[in-house]
Amino acid sequence: VHSKGLKLGIYSDVGNKTCAGFPGSYNHYDLDAQTFASWGVDLLKFDGCNSGTLELLAEGYRHMSLALNKTGRSIVYSCEWPFYLRPLKQPNYTEIKQYCNHWRNFFDVYDSWSSIKSILDWTALHQDSIVKIAGPGGWNDPDMASRVTRHLCFPVTQLVIGNFGLSQDQAVTQMAMWAIMAAPLFMSNDLRHISPEAKRLLQNREVIAINQDPLGRQGYQLSKVQRAMEW
């Protein structure tokens, strides 16, 4: 993977099993962190299924963060901590940012405009609690979902540009809004078959520069205009 100029990510879970029923990292955080580092992993997506109690969920996310740091390798730590907290309590984003590099707040993203729009609507609705915490070292994640096939688990991440579900205008909108939201930019398309239009959009230096603003400020919706449909 590294020889192709790409980064290597891996998936695990804070509980004893992943969401798909495979072995998780519970009670093996230090061993798993060392193993991932020895494999040259650059990013760990750490899910929260089968974690038991909220206390065990929090303990697991904290423990894996410390274990990753102990390896001495720079590994991006992608958490789903607030996503599992929200149904029961308001997440403490100050604490979450102390341990995680970015964190998921909402449901899985899919290769469709309705999915993208639902994430944008949710972000605007909850912006008072999430926008202020975003900044260097810690970011709100508009979702990084994993799909499990019979043989493989692979990421279907935030940017669905280059797949088949979005029109060109919708793809432009996703790229622009993810940049404004200071979201981590991960591609989820097949790099072997990407269209020239999608490639140009994903490599747009001006839009990426907005996303990579050194201040790291996430955009804030000031107003919303409703347009009536004319028949």
Side-chain angles (χ1 to χ4, degrees):
V1 173
H2 289 152
S3 70
K4 297 181 182 298
L6 302 172
K7 300 294 185 181
L8 176 62
I10 200 165
Y11 171 94
S12 189
D13 193 287
V14 69
N16 57 2
K17 290 184 178 180
T18 69
C19 301
F22 296 105
S25 292
Y26 181 68
N27 271 342
H28 297 88
Y29 302 123
D30 295 286
L31 175 62
D32 284 1
Q34 288 290 345
T35 303
F36 300 154
S38 71
W39 290 344
V41 165
D42 302 297
L43 179 146
L44 169 63
K45 172 184 167 64
F46 210 44
D47 216 331
C49 286
N50 304 303
S51 56
T53 66
L54 293 184
E55 289 75 18
L56 288 174
L57 180 80
E59 180 184 326
Y61 274 113
R62 296 189 200 104
H63 194 150
M64 181 56 85
S65 176
L66 299 175
L68 291 173
N69 286 337
K70 288 178 183 177
T71 68
R73 180 172 177 79
S74 180
I75 300 176
V76 176
Y77 188 33
S78 173
C79 300
E80 304 213 359
W81 195 349
F83 175 72
Y84 288 93
L85 286 178
R86 275 196 171 274
L88 300 170
K89 61 183 294 187
Q90 173 66 24
N92 181 347
Y93 283 101
T94 300
E95 180 184 25
I96 290 169
K97 185 174 181 177
Q98 180 181 349
Y99 292 98
C100 303
N101 296 123
H102 55 90
W103 47 85
R104 175 184 169 194
N105 294 299
F106 192 55
F107 294 116
D108 288 358
V109 64
Y110 292 95
D111 185 20
S112 72
W113 174 246
S114 61
S115 176
I116 300 300
K117 186 177 183 300
S118 69
I119 292 172
L120 294 174
D121 289 342
W122 186 95
T123 301
L125 182 64
H126 295 86
Q127 61 183 2
D128 286 335
S129 65
I130 66 172
V131 167
K132 58 189 176 184
I133 196 64
W139 315 96
N140 290 297
D141 183 346
D143 176 38
M144 185 178 189
S146 292
R147 301 284 177 263
V148 179
T149 67
R150 182 177 178 184
H151 301 291
L152 298 171
C153 176
F154 60 97
V156 177
T157 60
Q158 299 96 331
L159 294 174
V160 295
I161 299 163
N163 291 302
F164 310 101
L166 302 185
S167 69
Q168 179 63 15
D169 286 343
Q170 291 167 348
V172 169
T173 301
Q174 190 196 13
M175 185 70 180
M177 294 306 298
W178 260 235
I180 290 171
M181 291 191 297
L185 299 181
F186 295 103
M187 297 184 297
S188 62
N189 53 284
D190 188 336
L191 297 178
R192 298 168 299 176
H193 304 294
I194 186 170
S195 70
E197 295 80 12
K199 184 177 179 180
R200 283 196 296 269
L201 179 57
L202 290 166
Q203 292 182 327
N204 187 300
R205 291 181 178 272
E206 289 78 12
V207 178
I208 293 173
I210 293 172
N211 178 262
Q212 300 292 306
D213 182 342
L215 292 178
R217 291 180 178 173
Q218 180 171 341
Y220 189 92
Q221 179 179 284
L222 296 177
S223 63
K224 183 176 182 179
V225 178
Q226 297 282 4
R227 291 183 173 86
M229 183 177 293
E230 297 181 0
W231 295 92

